[in-house]
Amino acid sequence: MARRIEHRSTSEWPASRVYEALVDVDYLKHRLNEIGGTKTELVEHVVTGDDVRFQIRQGVRAESLPPIARTVVGGDLMIDRSESWRCAEEGHYTGEIAAEIAGAPCSITGSMWLRDLAEPADDAVSEFVVDGSVRVNVPFVGGKLEEFVCDQIQQLLASEERFTSDWLARHS
């Protein structure tokens, strides 16, 4: 049974500025360097018209994992994450995300939305939403591993949100 991921954040920046950052090669490389873990890499970045697709790779050292995860994986983790983005309309962007952990029976999938708020409030003018799921196909311990992965994803998304806000402040 999969675990659901729900992440919602707001920004003081319009959706168009946040989107420009989220798909920018320099932004992605700097984000990986600051947040990424070990052996980080921007594997692919493709722009086709209004569509942007990229793949990043991030490593996690085995000693950073809980014992139950180390038992299943047997060493360091290598995570391949792909995102595809499209401008749905002015001030509204949609995306898909997928991640796999090499050598682990785990899949992460989801949809993303970035949009200008119709009624800005509390200095927030745009909203970013991730709605996804984590599935770990391991008998008996899959649920515990799904919970761990979901917690890690929430922490990662919060770190990326802070990085994006700082990036936009520095590059505006």
Side-chain angles (χ1 to χ4, degrees):
M1 184 167 175
R3 299 256 177 177
R4 189 150 184 225
I5 302 166
E6 293 179 282
H7 176 82
R8 184 178 304 269
S9 62
T10 58
S11 175
E12 66 183 274
W13 305 96
S16 61
R17 277 295 289 131
V18 177
Y19 172 75
E20 287 172 11
L22 292 178
V23 300
D24 180 78
V25 170
D26 289 333
Y27 162 88
L28 290 166
K29 288 179 179 178
H30 282 92
R31 189 182 80 189
L32 280 170
N33 286 336
E34 186 167 314
I35 300 172
T38 63
K39 300 179 184 175
T40 61
E41 178 184 6
L42 177 59
V43 177
E44 179 180 53
H45 188 275
V46 178
V47 178
T48 309
D50 290 338
D51 297 345
V52 178
R53 180 175 39 88
F54 61 86
Q55 179 185 352
I56 57 176
R57 185 167 290 142
Q58 298 169 273
V60 179
R61 295 191 191 284
E63 56 267 13
S64 301
L65 302 171
I68 193 167
R70 283 192 300 253
T71 302
V72 172
V73 176
D76 294 350
L77 289 181
M78 193 54 67
I79 303 165
D80 281 315
R81 171 177 162 183
S82 299
E83 292 186 24
S84 60
W85 282 96
R86 158 171 277 185
C87 179
E89 60 186 63
E90 182 69 30
H92 185 197
Y93 305 86
T94 60
E96 298 296 321
I97 187 168
E100 295 179 354
I101 300 172
C106 177
S107 64
I108 303 161
T109 58
S111 298
M112 303 175 290
W113 301 269
L114 173 61
R115 65 181 177 95
D116 288 327
L117 293 171
E119 297 179 26
D122 298 326
D123 297 327
V125 297
S126 66
E127 177 181 48
F128 177 66
V129 177
V130 177
D131 183 22
S133 63
V134 173
R135 180 178 302 277
V136 177
N137 293 319
V138 177
F140 306 113
V141 297
K144 287 188 180 291
L145 289 171
E146 287 171 353
E147 186 176 332
F148 169 74
V149 172
C150 284
D151 289 343
Q152 294 302 303
I153 291 170
Q154 291 290 359
Q155 289 177 32
L156 177 64
L157 290 171
S159 294
E160 289 178 353
E161 176 186 338
R162 285 188 298 276
F163 178 85
T164 303
S165 182
D166 291 345
W167 173 271
L168 288 169
R170 288 190 314 265
H171 292 87
S172 290

